[in-house]
Amino acid sequence: MKKRSWAEPYKIKMVEPLRVTTRSEREQAITEAGFNTFLLHSKDVYIDLLTDSGTSAMSDRQWAGLMMGDEAYAGSVNFYHLQEAIQKFYGYQHIIPTHQGRGAEHILSQLLIHKGDYVPGNMYFTTTKLHQELAGGTFVDVIVDEAHDPDNEFPFKGNVDLAKLQALIDRVGAEHIPYLSLETNVNMAGGQPCSLANIRAACGLCHEHNIKVFLDATRAVENAYFIKQREAGYENHSIADILREICSHTDGCTMSAKKDCLVNIGGWLAVNDAELADHARNMVVVYEGLHTYGGLAGRDMEAMSLGIRESVEYDHIRARIGQVEYLGNALIDAGIPIVRPIGGHGIFIDAARFLSHLPREEFPAQALAAALYVESGVRAMERGTVSAGRDHTTGKNNFPKLELIRLTIPRRVYTQAHMDVTAEAVVGIYEDRNLVTGLRFTYEPKQLRFFQARFEPTTGNQILRDPDTSA
Ligand code: PM9
């Protein structure tokens, strides 16, 4: 049979012009931004692949939903729509809206973690781990070893290593483990999924020991798509059914709705335990807003409830992940070292191999993100040593096994032509990669340093000398 291509399952109704800059404008912009792509002004960015968080395009139905915002302080109709959508598609009973994902992480961590506790998780996420630490806990990585190897093609690199989890239980005792922090489509591993068999087994092991399981459901729909593609027995299940099954094994979830749920702001905490829900409602009114809005406008909750319904449509999720695969395959074909298999929300380039002439102490991933911006106006995010921060006890840099930059694809925003331009830019730098210089800190914030840190090149004053113009 002849190959049948898919195309984006939407047409464009409104456009937002992009500004194309010159190389010297970009050199000036990145220097002023301290070689940190987080500190660039978005007006200076051509294709913005910093994050898929809050950057999705909403549908016409969602924009219409904004007009139906009920901005009552208490009991907004939009809260009940949101609650209904979460109960239907995620299956949890009690819903506490928050301004975004970290608001939910804060509440959950403060309620369940005691000083001296251990929180196992399938790889760290920056804000999640920090909230666990601020509550007095210590994060313990229990992801499978395959996740740390960018070339390993294991289809479920997000899986929990049950032996590592058991070893932690044996070492510290179940009473010092408040919950397993289980992330779907693990962000820092490259957007890699967990299998349902593994989710079932990990949750079973925890529940046997009276340990709860809280899902980071931020990209659970993308995980559900990979289960449908890769896990035997699920090929004929709907995305909605798989999502429900994932959640059914857990005790609740935190959610950054800025990703899967197709909105620009929002989050929620969901739990099945009525008493825990009560405690969470008491906290949300202190830190976020009333328990029926949690820091959100009524219209935001309406857009979210509609986004949840759209997110599980097969055509949507196939095209969303298909676009990421399109970019990934273009880079693989050009010989660029990327994390494989291609993940769900972005392409993760192995900066340590790409810039093998730079030592880890000179932050190759940070340098590559800056160089890519100078080369093309494409903005990527560092996901390596700078993101990993310092060890709290020794004060030394953590050197994670993965030193990556992430080209994150916003949902329903860019076309395949933008993916072509991005791939060409990466290949352009790869050809001149030895010209990229390392970086050192000029300012290092104490927490979540990657957001606001500033750097300077270790040699010379340019991150990437243009071979055509430099002497
Ligand atoms: N993720 C991302 O770009 C946005 C901030 S970068 C620190 O990937 C997971 C798996 C996330 C996530 C945010 C959050 C926090 C929790 N879990 O940004 O607070 O990927 O809504 O969510 C970002 P909020």
Side-chain angles (χ1 to χ4, degrees):
M1 203 175 84
K2 279 195 186 142
K3 180 179 172 231
R4 305 300 297 251
S5 299
W6 56 267
E8 288 81 357
Y10 48 81
K11 54 186 178 176
I12 295 165
K13 192 177 279 193
M14 190 194 288
V15 296
E16 180 182 339
L18 296 174
R19 184 166 154 255
V20 181
T21 50
T22 64
R23 185 184 187 92
S24 68
E25 283 172 331
R26 293 194 294 275
E27 280 175 355
Q28 190 184 341
I30 198 73
T31 305
E32 284 171 10
F35 297 88
N36 183 349
T37 53
F38 273 104
L39 299 180
L40 288 167
H41 292 212
S42 74
K43 71 171 177 48
D44 297 328
V45 174
Y46 175 36
I47 300 176
D48 203 346
L49 306 184
L50 184 73
T51 179
D52 62 333
S53 180
T55 52
S56 296
M58 292 205 296
S59 68
D60 49 2
R61 282 171 291 175
Q62 286 177 290
W63 278 102
L66 293 188
M67 296 307 294
M68 303 303 287
D70 168 9
E71 306 307 342
Y73 187 86
S76 161
V77 72
N78 311 118
F79 167 72
Y80 295 103
H81 290 169
L82 175 63
Q83 181 172 260
E84 200 186 306
I86 297 170
Q87 286 170 341
K88 175 167 178 201
F89 290 99
Y90 289 82
Y92 299 115
Q93 287 175 33
H94 306 284
I95 316 301
I96 293 103
T98 57
H99 77 285
Q100 59 184 87
R102 67 198 75 180
E105 290 171 349
H106 171 227
I107 293 172
L108 183 73
S109 304
Q110 290 295 328
L111 285 178
L112 293 185
I113 300 172
H114 297 104
K115 200 166 169 18
D117 280 350
Y118 294 84
V119 187
N122 49 344
M123 201 171 266
Y124 83 102
F125 185 71
T126 52
T127 57
T128 323
K129 176 168 171 268
L130 181 62
H131 278 298
Q132 292 162 355
E133 289 169 350
L134 290 172
T138 301
F139 171 81
V140 182
D141 191 358
V142 294
I143 202 165
V144 291
D145 286 342
E146 287 90 336
H148 296 288
D149 174 1
D151 291 330
N152 193 308
E153 298 266 5
F154 184 54
F156 292 107
K157 286 166 98 173
N159 278 357
V160 173
D161 184 323
L162 300 180
K164 289 184 191 169
L165 181 57
Q166 182 69 60
L168 179 71
I169 298 170
D170 294 344
R171 182 165 68 85
V172 304
E175 65 281 14
H176 297 299
I177 304 178
Y179 59 92
L180 166 68
S181 183
L182 179 66
E183 188 185 333
T184 31
N185 242 40
V186 179
N187 190 350
M188 301 297 275
Q192 302 292 328
C194 310
S195 70
L196 252 170
N198 183 261
I199 292 172
R200 211 178 291 122
C203 295
L205 177 59
C206 286
H207 290 149
E208 241 172 68
H209 290 85
N210 255 338
I211 298 168
K212 292 188 190 309
V213 180
F214 282 91
L215 192 66
D216 181 336
T218 296
R219 296 183 182 85
V221 177
E222 291 173 3
N223 199 125
Y225 177 80
F226 283 125
I227 288 173
K228 185 173 169 69
Q229 297 301 304
R230 299 177 186 172
E231 191 163 352
Y234 287 94
E235 43 289 84
N236 296 321
H237 288 230
S238 70
I239 298 296
D241 283 350
I242 298 173
L243 178 64
R244 271 292 285 245
E245 186 176 342
I246 293 172
C247 299
S248 71
H249 297 292
T250 68
D251 299 283
C253 80
T254 54
M255 168 61 95
S256 170
K258 301 170 73 173
K259 285 82 166 175
D260 269 358
C261 302
L262 297 168
V263 287
N264 304 121
I265 193 70
W268 32 273
L269 171 65
V271 298
N272 287 333
D273 181 308
E275 199 183 322
L276 182 60
D278 251 3
H279 291 307
R281 285 191 201 97
N282 286 338
M283 265 191 88
V284 84
V285 297
V286 179
Y287 292 102
E288 303 277 319
L290 197 75
H291 60 281
T292 55
Y293 77 83
L296 297 169
R299 55 181 172 269
D300 297 328
M301 293 189 284
E302 189 64 23
M304 216 190 301
S305 69
L306 292 162
I308 288 170
R309 287 167 203 281
E310 291 176 12
S311 73
V312 296
E313 285 168 14
Y314 181 71
D315 283 349
H316 157 70
I317 194 69
R318 179 178 65 157
R320 188 277 183 284
I321 291 182
Q323 193 177 47
V324 177
E325 284 171 347
Y326 178 86
L327 174 60
N329 284 326
L331 294 177
I332 289 172
D333 291 348
I336 307 295
I338 68 167
V339 172
R340 301 193 203 191
I342 295 167
H345 63 304
I347 300 304
F348 290 68
I349 298 176
D350 183 347
R353 265 172 64 196
F354 194 114
L355 299 180
S356 56
H357 61 290
L358 294 183
R360 295 291 292 276
E361 289 74 12
E362 293 188 19
F363 310 120
Q366 190 76 31
L368 183 55
L372 178 62
Y373 171 73
V374 172
E375 171 80 8
S376 61
V378 172
R379 170 155 72 168
M381 186 191 288
E382 192 268 2
R383 295 278 77 166
T385 306
V386 178
S387 293
R390 288 183 186 271
D391 184 298
H392 287 293
T393 43
T394 65
K396 294 201 167 130
N397 278 319
N398 291 318
F399 288 107
K401 291 208 178 97
L402 300 178
E403 178 77 17
L404 309 173
I405 68 162
R406 188 182 70 175
L407 300 169
T408 342
I409 315 300
R411 296 163 185 79
R412 310 192 291 203
V413 171
Y414 291 116
T415 64
Q416 298 209 0
H418 291 109
M419 300 299 111
D420 292 337
V421 169
T422 302
E424 287 163 18
V426 173
V427 174
I429 300 190
Y430 195 58
E431 284 162 4
D432 291 324
R433 58 192 178 279
N434 290 331
L435 301 173
V436 178
T437 56
L439 293 171
R440 63 175 157 248
F441 278 113
T442 57
Y443 166 63
E444 183 184 352
K446 279 210 166 53
Q447 284 168 347
L448 300 177
R449 64 183 184 179
F450 57 94
F451 281 132
Q452 296 175 79
R454 302 184 72 86
F455 302 84
E456 64 184 8
T458 47
T459 50
N461 59 5
Q462 262 182 234
I463 190 84
L464 173 70
R465 284 184 192 284
D466 184 342
D468 297 326
T469 56
S470 57

